[in-house]
Amino acid sequence: MRVEVSVSQRSNNIEQEFTDITFLDGSPILPNEDSNYTSTNTTRVDALAARTLSLNAYHDFAFAESRVMLYLGAGLGLSFVELSGLYFSSEYSCISQPCGGRPAAEYNSLQDVDLSDSGLSKQLFAGTDYRLGDKLLLGLKASYSWVDDLVDTSPYEVHPFPIVNDTEISRINPWSSSPWIKSSLR
């Protein structure tokens, strides 16, 4: 068995999905064909990065007189997660008169923030090493990570009411595989 301290950084693609949008009283917003207003919404996320410091343990399966060694491992650590460039805007306009006493633009909202959080992470590893020489190995390692959800609260830059947005990013669980060459001091 061997133990290592690991530092890693991962960037992942994000599939953004709204789970629900509600009025301020919590009732769901349904399509309203009788409304004189329309809105255009724009959303985007630039990047999600996770930096992890972990303690990992590996069990090696060496074969006698073979240059190949297989291993399995597990790790536990702390991840620092950052979601950069979370952008949401909603612009209202009047599609037919009358639209009421307030201009439609007074309902516009804008949020453009970076979010961050830290949490527990867990990893599983599987790999193989091929001994090229006494002190040189060529390897392939696959890993799967579970990272706690990113949860952050941030205010809107523009909103008709003084509210904040609670954002939660779930399932930050990347697969990765990487070939590598390392020198061994065995």
Side-chain angles (χ1 to χ4, degrees):
M1 178 146 127
R2 56 191 163 101
V3 177
E4 75 176 4
V5 174
S6 171
V7 176
S8 64
Q9 177 173 325
R10 293 188 170 126
S11 296
N12 299 83
N13 294 330
I14 299 172
E15 183 177 319
Q16 184 178 11
E17 176 181 320
F18 283 108
T19 55
D20 61 73
I21 299 176
T22 63
F23 288 110
L24 292 176
D25 67 359
S27 60
I29 294 177
L30 302 173
N32 185 351
E33 295 176 8
D34 297 332
S35 176
N36 294 335
Y37 294 99
T38 186
S39 68
T40 302
N41 298 310
T42 305
T43 63
R44 74 171 183 270
V45 177
D46 290 340
L48 177 71
R51 294 167 190 86
T52 304
L53 175 65
S54 63
L55 181 63
N56 306 321
Y58 297 93
H59 181 73
D60 297 322
F61 300 94
F63 303 104
E65 311 243 353
S66 175
R67 293 182 171 262
V68 176
M69 179 179 62
L70 303 175
Y71 60 88
L72 295 175
L76 187 62
L78 181 63
S79 288
F80 303 92
V81 182
E82 181 179 56
L83 181 71
S84 59
L86 175 64
Y87 180 86
F88 172 80
S89 73
S90 185
E91 295 182 5
Y92 287 85
S93 57
C94 183
I95 54 174
S96 65
Q97 296 296 332
C99 276
R102 297 176 70 180
E106 286 188 23
Y107 297 103
N108 291 353
S109 60
L110 170 66
Q111 185 176 40
D112 190 4
V113 297
D114 295 334
L115 305 175
S116 61
D117 196 9
S118 59
L120 190 64
S121 62
K122 300 155 283 277
Q123 298 88 28
L124 291 178
F125 306 101
T128 184
D129 287 338
Y130 180 78
R131 184 169 303 284
L132 295 173
D134 288 342
K135 297 186 179 195
L136 189 63
L137 300 171
L138 174 67
L140 179 64
K141 176 178 170 180
S143 65
Y144 187 77
S145 299
W146 293 268
V147 179
D148 284 348
D149 296 349
L150 178 149
V151 179
D152 200 351
T153 300
S154 54
Y156 280 84
E157 293 173 40
V158 174
H159 199 280
F161 303 100
I163 63 173
V164 295
N165 185 31
D166 295 322
T167 303
E168 181 174 346
I169 307 297
S170 300
R171 292 185 268 169
I172 307 170
N173 304 332
W175 269 105
S176 69
S177 60
S178 55
W180 49 272
I181 296 176
K182 68 178 179 181
S183 60
S184 173
L185 301 174
R186 294 183 193 185

